[in-house]
Amino acid sequence: MAEIRDYAAVGDCRSAALVSRYGSVDWLCWPRFDSPSIFAAILDKEKGGYWSISPAAPSQFERAYIRGSNVLETHFICPTGHATLTDLMPVASEEFKRRHMLPDHELLRQIVCTEGEIKLEVAFCPRPYYGARELKLQNLGAHGLRLEFRRGAYFLRSSIPLKIDGNEARAEISMRDGDVLQFSLSYSEESPAILPALGENATASIERSVKWWQGWAARAKYQGPYRDAVVRSALALKLMAYAPSGAITAAVTTSLPERIGGSLNWDYRYCWLRDASLTVRALLGLGYIEETESFMTWMLHATRLTQPQLRVLYNVFGGMARREEELDLAGYFDSRPVRIGNGARHQLQLDVYGEVIEAAAQYAQRHGHFDRTTQKVLIGFGKYVAKHWNLADEGIWEPRSGGAHHTHSRLLCWTALDRLLALSDKGFLDGVPRQQFEQERGRIRQQIEHRAWNEGLQSYVSVLDGDCVDATLLRLPWYGFEEAQSLRMKSTYRRIRQELSAGDGLLFRYRSQPPEGAFGICGFWAVEYLALGGGTLEEAHALFDQLLKYGNDLGLFAEEIDPGTGDALGNFPQAFTHIGLISAALTLEEKERGESHPAAQTGENVKSGSREVIQ
């Protein structure tokens, strides 16, 4: 069975599929990320369903994305010959889509024998609704195979006939050097369905998709030493963007475990405002303005019914995430339960406000103004923060153990008010209640400085008046609340390393029993702390280099890392980790160019260590 690190993601900014290094599509949900699956073998090999194209004989497997794209090539190396499998969900420009009839959703697979002879086995084993529904395959002759489920229909076209056996279709084929096979799986909820042609049409679709992705990737402004890793992370984040609405999901999977055999298995196919805001900030730093504008528009739409309150997560259309339920699936390496929906949908997480407003501040800093509606919404968020910042909340880690007074939530409430005041100073917002915001911002600072600092430990702590640390304390300098080189932060950093080190530069997010994996983004937070003055740039680069090796061979990261084996844990690919990678690379590049602290550009009353004055 393939492990998490063995997977690659292909997608079209509406949904995504996971393809194993052995040529099997083991995860696919249509029409959107949080729809029921048709392939879910990654969660249950027997029930979940899969679509494999692989050599009949023992082989070696090598793979890579076509440079600058999300088009995957897997190379089968057999004793008798070689073949290359290309996997993608076709994408095209808006202009092309206006002039041509295209299927709503398509997964295109092409295999080419490049040397000698090779025998292949094809197994198409769909299992609708997470393997829980019966199906019947119909042979439509020249139109391929048809499978109906609920209000939609799947069509599989191929350049070779497949033999139906019950609810599966299979084939064995021998290929010689130069032979080409193509397969197109499409899905439609409207009639008549558009069935894409194979042959030259499919070849052109591959070329067009590669060009589209490479054009998008080439827009990334980052030119530092980690460009390959940064661009791959940006491409991964783009896969998680839902183009029709502008939403950005946290991951494309559900229930990949944070601990093998454990119950920390959650559905991440939703849009967490915190993750999305951080994603926008990373993409904005790379110069992707359209994605930022789309997200701002989506956010205003999604929150229109709850303003000024913000939910923790939404679906891609701005609705409430579905109620959490458990599925009858074995789980990834027996990690149960397998869940869909997410119980965090009713949680209170006050840090969300700071992340959203910080993202808006960065957008305004670079690219302009807000209309009256947006100004009103942002000020409304600020008024809510000014009134409620002293509440206990669930906090960024969503422990499901009840509310607490988290330092990180206080920090982001402080950030929200500080950025709104800065936006007012710069003329981006009219009508900010300055006296109220300044007063509450001061009260939050006083509380953090007195009650989040443990004199006995000589460290900031994760909960007011507490005695434990967590990795979010590394963010105090990033938002400009505390100087990275201050005695307090240096002492806190030593404490975090002492308490949370998972070895080789990795960090746990907090201490737990039994322990989870090291949390991917936390290591990159440490890189930024060092780069901002907590250490030297040389130390920050060394740590960054250490962390890069924990991506898989394609440069994709999961949520967590097993510190003992280096294996990937948690949902995959994970936006949060890729955000951390991009942000750390940008911070390193900015500091080497001598640019000011990021918070100095968007905040008002920040402590950056370089004494920039904000106008």
Side-chain angles (χ1 to χ4, degrees):
M1 182 175 174
E3 299 181 358
I4 294 171
R5 65 184 175 186
D6 292 324
Y7 284 96
V10 297
D12 59 359
C13 305
R14 286 171 174 75
S15 186
L18 293 189
V19 185
S20 80
R21 67 166 62 248
Y22 312 112
S24 182
V25 179
D26 290 345
W27 181 250
L28 174 61
C29 302
W30 270 340
R32 63 189 204 195
F33 297 104
D34 60 337
S35 299
S37 68
I38 183 171
F39 302 127
I42 194 172
L43 296 174
D44 191 318
K45 183 67 175 178
E46 298 301 320
K47 294 182 181 177
Y50 60 95
W51 179 16
S52 70
I53 300 175
S54 59
S59 305
Q60 295 179 25
F61 301 86
E62 296 178 357
R63 60 181 180 168
Y65 285 110
I66 294 177
R67 189 169 183 79
S69 81
N70 279 317
V71 177
L72 178 69
E73 288 187 333
T74 304
H75 306 288
F76 302 147
I77 304 170
C78 304
T80 59
H82 298 178
T84 297
L85 173 65
T86 301
D87 282 296
L88 69 152
M89 288 188 184
V91 291
S93 67
E94 293 302 316
E95 179 185 1
F96 184 88
K97 286 188 282 190
R98 281 194 295 270
R99 292 188 288 109
H100 296 81
M101 300 287 283
L102 299 173
D104 294 336
H105 307 277
E106 182 185 13
L107 176 60
L108 180 59
R109 314 191 78 185
Q110 173 178 276
I111 186 158
V112 179
C113 183
T114 56
E115 182 178 323
E117 297 184 11
I118 188 168
K119 186 175 182 180
L120 295 174
E121 294 177 341
V122 180
F124 178 71
C125 308
R127 299 288 186 272
Y129 202 88
Y130 309 103
R133 298 289 190 271
E134 296 293 327
L135 66 91
K136 182 179 180 181
L137 284 174
Q138 294 177 272
N139 190 337
L140 304 181
H143 296 299
L145 307 182
R146 176 187 171 99
L147 160 64
E148 290 190 15
F149 177 68
R150 290 186 169 176
R151 61 183 182 182
Y154 299 86
F155 297 88
L156 175 62
R157 310 191 79 187
S158 62
S159 50
I160 58 168
L162 301 179
K163 183 179 180 181
I164 296 177
D165 182 10
N167 56 7
E168 302 174 354
R170 295 178 181 272
E172 292 186 357
I173 183 73
S174 293
M175 300 181 70
R176 293 183 178 179
D177 187 10
D179 287 348
V180 180
L181 297 179
Q182 294 173 332
F183 304 82
S184 169
L185 178 65
S186 58
Y187 175 78
S188 178
E189 294 184 347
E190 298 189 6
S191 183
I194 299 170
L195 303 185
L198 299 178
E200 292 182 357
N201 179 76
T203 302
S205 183
I206 295 172
E207 294 173 354
R208 186 166 51 248
S209 298
V210 170
K211 186 177 180 181
W212 188 92
W213 281 115
Q214 290 178 337
W216 188 87
R219 290 163 46 202
K221 291 183 176 178
Y222 175 81
Q223 298 297 334
Y226 308 111
R227 182 170 173 83
D228 286 350
V230 167
V231 170
R232 175 51 51 200
S233 290
L235 285 163
L237 294 178
K238 182 64 173 173
L239 277 182
M240 294 177 241
Y242 187 71
S245 69
I248 300 171
T249 61
V252 304
T253 58
T254 178
S255 297
L256 296 181
E258 297 171 15
R259 183 187 302 130
I260 300 298
S263 60
L264 299 176
N265 318 317
W266 315 110
D267 192 347
Y268 277 12
R269 297 172 297 163
Y270 298 103
C271 182
W272 269 256
L273 280 186
R274 175 191 60 237
D275 293 21
S277 300
L278 290 166
T279 300
V280 163
R281 197 168 59 213
L283 292 176
L284 192 59
L286 296 177
Y288 292 105
I289 310 306
E290 292 178 5
E291 284 73 11
T292 306
E293 293 174 342
S294 295
F295 171 73
M296 294 296 292
T297 301
W298 173 84
M299 182 189 72
L300 292 174
H301 166 76
T303 61
R304 69 192 189 286
L305 296 179
T306 60
Q307 292 171 9
Q309 285 186 268
L310 295 175
R311 291 196 185 112
V312 177
L313 65 152
Y314 299 80
N315 67 27
V316 294
F317 287 121
M320 180 173 277
R322 66 175 294 160
R323 189 186 308 277
E324 192 169 287
E325 62 177 287
E326 298 179 3
L327 301 177
D328 183 23
L329 291 175
Y332 176 85
F333 284 93
D334 293 324
S335 302
R336 288 187 289 269
V338 172
R339 298 183 175 93
I340 56 174
N342 199 297
R345 64 185 192 152
H346 291 304
Q347 285 189 357
L348 173 66
Q349 295 180 29
L350 291 168
D351 61 297
V352 171
Y353 295 86
E355 297 292 7
V356 167
I357 293 172
E358 167 70 15
Q362 294 216 9
Y363 173 74
Q365 180 71 22
R366 287 172 169 83
H367 303 287
H369 69 285
F370 298 120
D371 59 31
R372 286 299 305 165
T373 299
T374 305
Q375 292 184 48
K376 184 178 178 182
V377 169
L378 292 173
I379 292 171
F381 292 158
K383 289 179 178 177
Y384 181 87
V385 169
K387 187 176 181 181
H388 297 92
W389 64 265
N390 208 21
L391 293 176
D393 73 341
E394 302 286 343
I396 185 175
W397 303 127
E398 302 175 5
R400 301 193 178 192
S401 56
H405 296 281
H406 296 96
T407 301
H408 179 258
S409 296
R410 293 291 197 276
L411 169 66
L412 268 299
C413 286
W414 176 89
T415 301
L417 298 179
D418 182 76
R419 283 7 176 211
L420 290 171
L421 288 165
L423 287 169
S424 175
D425 288 346
K426 297 171 183 175
F428 292 125
L429 295 181
D430 290 329
V432 168
R434 292 198 59 87
Q435 184 176 0
Q436 180 191 20
F437 284 8
E438 287 174 351
Q439 178 180 340
E440 298 306 317
R441 180 183 62 179
R443 291 179 63 199
I444 299 171
R445 171 174 285 284
Q446 185 177 37
Q447 190 181 75
I448 293 175
E449 290 181 343
H450 288 84
R451 296 181 59 192
W453 174 256
N454 186 310
E455 191 67 25
L457 296 178
Q458 286 294 292
S459 175
Y460 283 110
V461 287
S462 55
V463 176
L464 301 184
D465 307 316
D467 56 5
C468 297
V469 296
D470 79 312
T472 62
L473 299 171
L474 294 171
R475 304 299 280 169
L476 285 161
W478 199 94
Y479 292 103
F481 183 89
E482 178 77 76
E483 293 181 0
Q485 61 270 46
S486 73
L487 292 177
R488 281 191 167 196
M489 274 313 303
K490 290 210 167 191
S491 179
T492 298
Y493 182 68
R494 286 194 295 272
R495 189 79 191 182
I496 287 173
R497 278 290 173 203
Q498 178 183 337
E499 294 287 330
L500 304 182
S501 174
D504 200 31
L506 298 172
L507 285 175
F508 297 110
R509 53 178 164 175
Y510 49 70
R511 277 289 172 189
S512 62
Q513 285 298 333
E516 305 172 6
F519 211 80
I521 196 172
C522 297
F524 292 112
W525 285 350
V527 171
E528 292 196 89
Y529 167 73
L530 294 172
L532 290 174
T536 65
L537 286 177
E538 289 73 20
E539 290 172 322
H541 277 293
L543 179 55
F544 195 94
D545 287 331
Q546 278 181 282
L547 298 172
L548 284 184
K549 66 185 181 184
Y550 289 103
N552 72 1
D553 56 314
L554 299 170
L556 298 179
F557 285 82
E559 181 179 34
E560 298 187 7
I561 300 149
D562 185 321
T565 64
D567 289 343
L569 295 171
N571 284 306
F572 179 86
Q574 174 74 219
F576 216 26
T577 312
H578 285 285
I579 293 164
L581 188 156
I582 293 172
S583 185
L586 289 172
T587 298
L588 277 167
E589 185 186 45
E590 290 162 0
K591 297 307 292 183
E592 289 192 328
R593 287 203 303 255
E595 293 185 10
S596 61
H597 186 294
Q601 300 171 29
T602 57
E604 186 198 53
N605 186 27
V606 302
K607 294 184 177 181
S608 67
S610 52
R611 305 304 179 192
E612 296 89 346
V613 177
I614 308 304
Q615 300 299 324

